[in-house]
Amino acid sequence: MFWLGGTVSHSDFDVLAELPDHLTWGSLHLEVQRRHGKPVHIEPAPVGLGQDVTGLWLEKAEQSWIFHAAGESELLRRHVILHEYGHILLMHGGCELTLGNAFAHIGGSRRIKTLLGRSSTWTAQEIAAENAATRLAARLTRRVDPLLEVF
């Protein structure tokens, strides 16, 4: 399959298809944490993240953080979070992002396992995470008619 000029594997779709039918922001966050096996904290990005980066997933052995660009619209903030959830659910690893000195002070001494950032560079992992974000957003916007829930 092709998406945004790249390929997406069928296993990417399988991972997201296994999510519960009725998703809310809260239930999706809990499901991401459950599958990830550790807490995931969502915070505004530290100053100096860089203009090109709108989101970042930082993983350590005991917990992860999703950072989003501070001051952005609620819609972009949610999309960035969904994009980073995509990386987590698709079990992406490694650093595809060059951050310059923005995080130079944390380095290897802080036991960082994964550092992935959302930027304008379209690698295979970024394409898959963007596709996941779009699919997750579609799942979250599905509304069930309350009258039909009765039946």
Side-chain angles (χ1 to χ4, degrees):
M1 301 189 111
F2 290 90
W3 181 257
L4 297 175
T7 60
V8 178
S9 73
H10 288 287
S11 63
D12 293 349
F13 289 109
D14 297 340
V15 168
L16 299 178
E18 296 169 359
L19 290 170
D21 288 335
H22 300 288
L23 283 177
T24 64
W25 271 100
S27 66
L28 176 59
H29 185 76
L30 291 174
E31 185 66 16
V32 168
Q33 291 184 119
R34 185 187 72 75
R35 289 179 183 212
H36 191 42
K38 61 184 89 174
V40 177
H41 308 283
I42 299 173
E43 302 285 339
V47 176
L49 182 61
Q51 286 184 315
D52 195 34
V53 180
T54 57
L56 181 81
W57 165 38
L58 186 147
E59 179 185 16
K60 290 181 72 172
E62 64 281 352
Q63 56 193 328
S64 280
W65 288 266
I66 292 174
F67 294 106
H68 57 83
E72 295 293 347
S73 72
E74 179 68 11
L75 183 60
L76 178 58
R77 185 184 73 78
R78 286 180 177 245
H79 184 78
V80 166
I81 293 167
L82 291 174
H83 177 98
E84 302 307 332
Y85 280 169
H87 281 302
I88 293 170
L89 292 170
L90 298 171
M91 296 181 274
H92 290 162
C95 184
E96 294 188 325
L97 178 66
T98 302
L99 291 175
N101 294 325
F103 285 93
H105 64 284
I106 59 178
S109 65
R110 301 289 183 126
R111 299 184 321 268
I112 303 299
K113 286 181 62 176
T114 304
L115 181 63
L116 287 174
R118 186 173 185 276
S119 73
S120 61
T121 304
W122 289 102
T123 64
Q125 283 190 14
E126 287 303 300
I127 292 167
E130 195 66 13
N131 184 42
T134 302
R135 294 183 63 230
L136 289 169
R139 295 279 298 276
L140 286 167
T141 58
R142 283 188 202 151
R143 299 281 189 246
V144 177
D145 187 325
L147 181 60
L148 295 176
E149 283 284 302
V150 176
F151 300 101

